[in-house]
Amino acid sequence: MTTRPFHHGNLRAVLLEQAESMLRTTGTDGLSLRELARQAGVSHGAPRSHFIDRQALLDALAERGFDRLTRAVRSALDGAASARVGFDRVAEAYVDFAIEDAALMELMFAAKTSARPGAVQDAAGRLFGALDDTMGPSGPDADETGRDTFKMLFGATMQGIAALVASGRIARAQGDVLVSEAMAMLLDSELGGRVVTRH
């Protein structure tokens, strides 16, 4: 029997750590509450006290991922003297996360687009709020549609580059060059000039 290195009060955190480890090795297809219980060394019914079903576990993992990425983005932005410096740092943090936790990133955005509960949506909103802060304040006449488009372009571009690196299609150094060039193009574009207000 596996030693149980936790008290009942932190079983949820232990299960999420174990589930995230499983996600990295097996993807979402290999995640089940029964297998999670086995690997965590608890009774097969124990995870259901925290996750009513498998989807609740996936949602909790997605929420956790969004919160971790949001912290990384805010940390990268801290002290940046300009929008360009800020976005360069944020882009690097975003790509680092997307490479190191590729399966989690995929789960996060699959969860966001599936009409899943508010906690996941709220966590995704916090991430896009952090990206909004990177762009600078928006005034009463701000082009919110343009700002949303810029954030989506940023996310899609960085995740695409990260996917190329994670799959071995390009080297990380080449990915870093692509990130730098992509940020220059986005920030120097008509859209970037119109919606990025941080100087």
Side-chain angles (χ1 to χ4, degrees), residues 15-55:
L15 290 171
L16 283 172
E17 286 288 343
Q18 185 65 46
E20 197 169 317
S21 177
M22 291 171 64
L23 183 67
R24 289 192 186 100
T25 56
T26 67
T28 55
D29 289 345
L31 268 181
S32 72
L33 292 177
R34 183 174 289 274
E35 180 61 17
L36 176 60
R38 189 187 72 77
Q39 293 204 18
V42 298
S43 69
H44 69 84
R48 291 192 181 275
S49 63
H50 297 281
F51 310 107
I52 191 169
D53 56 19
R54 181 176 179 274
Q55 186 59 55

Side-chain angles (χ1 to χ4, degrees), residues 61-75:
L61 284 171
E63 180 185 358
R64 177 182 165 107
F66 275 119
D67 285 340
R68 187 186 308 154
L69 181 53
T70 298
R71 288 194 298 273
V73 166
R74 291 205 178 280
S75 178

Side-chain angles (χ1 to χ4, degrees), residues 12 18 21 29 43 45 70 72 80-81 86 100 109-110 113 117 144 154 157 170 189 194:
R12 187 177 191 276
Q18 185 65 46
S21 177
D29 289 345
S43 69
T70 298
E100 293 163 12
F109 284 91
T113 57
E144 294 300 339
F154 169 84
T157 303
I170 62 174
S189 68
R194 177 159 45 90

Side-chain angles (χ1 to χ4, degrees), residues 110-141:
K112 183 180 185 302
T113 57
S114 65
R116 295 309 299 176
V120 177
Q121 303 295 338
D122 291 346
R126 288 190 290 274
L127 171 61
F128 281 89
L131 294 177
D132 208 60
D133 290 346
T134 310
M135 298 172 69
S138 59
D141 298 322

